[in-house]
Amino acid sequence: SGIDLAEWVRRQRDAAKAGALSIDRRRRLDEVPGWSWKIRHRQHWDECYSELAAYAREHGTANPVQGIVTTSGFALGHWVSAQRVAYGRGTMARNFPERIEQLEALPGWAWNVSDALWETGFADLQAFTAATGCATPGRSAVGSSGLRLGHWAKDQRKKYRRGQLSPERSARLEQLPGWFWEKRPTTQT
């Protein structure tokens, strides 16, 4: 139906606490298998983390784009975004510091969205390189995340020339077979 189910559940629990939920609605919710009036943060978080770990195993990075929904219907990109917000606000460090370490242990995890996008681009370029043997995607090449690889690679070269690409990222790109910084001269026949 397109409804945000997590938000709907939260509203039902809030209404029940405030005494604003009818007895009939409470009864109907109580009949739902697995329903709980208490929030089960740890169990739910662990299930979501498992979805992210599975995504990372499949795609080589724990940085799904915002709109990614798993085959089970879980809005993984949205959940990852919520983890970054909790980290940025300091609530994760205060309430669940062990989660920080768990997330950082996943391949390609980044707390910053621009870092995450870079990691996604790099993971896509690595996959392209593994498939083709060379890190030179054409303009029409698209990574598994939907990223236009040729454009992404060109952008990295621009940043490098402008001094805007970190030495660590430069070194990672240089390790890919066929990577180059300057435009390659065309051969004349």
Side-chain angles (χ1 to χ4, degrees), residues 6-7 17 25-26 36 38 42 53 57 62 75 83 86 91 102 117 128 137 142 145 148 159 167 173 176 187:
E7 177 63 21
K17 270 190 225 175
R25 287 187 178 178
R26 285 184 63 96
S36 172
K38 295 181 180 178
R42 183 75 233 181
R57 280 190 301 277
Q83 302 317 296
T91 55
Q102 284 180 267
L117 290 172
F128 176 87
V142 176
S145 71
R148 294 180 8 216
K159 288 178 179 178
L173 288 166
L176 297 174
T187 56

Side-chain angles (χ1 to χ4, degrees), residues 49 52-53 55-57 59-65 80 84 100-124 126 168-169 172:
Y49 178 83
L52 180 60
Y55 177 90
R57 280 190 301 277
H59 298 279
T61 184
N63 284 303
V65 292
V80 166
R84 290 185 178 124
I100 295 170
E101 194 172 304
Q102 284 180 267
L103 289 166
E104 289 176 346
L106 294 171
W109 175 261
W111 292 109
N112 178 289
V113 174
S114 64
D115 289 345
L117 290 172
W118 194 92
E119 291 296 336
T120 297
F122 185 76
D124 280 358
Q126 280 181 306
E168 183 264 339
R169 288 182 178 174
R172 288 174 68 190

Side-chain angles (χ1 to χ4, degrees), residues 11-12 14-23 25-26:
R11 283 196 312 261
Q12 303 317 300
D14 288 349
K17 270 190 225 175
L21 194 64
S22 72
I23 293 171
R25 287 187 178 178
R26 285 184 63 96

Side-chain angles (χ1 to χ4, degrees), residues 28-36 40:
R28 289 173 59 198
L29 285 168
D30 282 331
E31 292 171 358
V32 173
W35 175 261
S36 172
R40 294 176 291 172

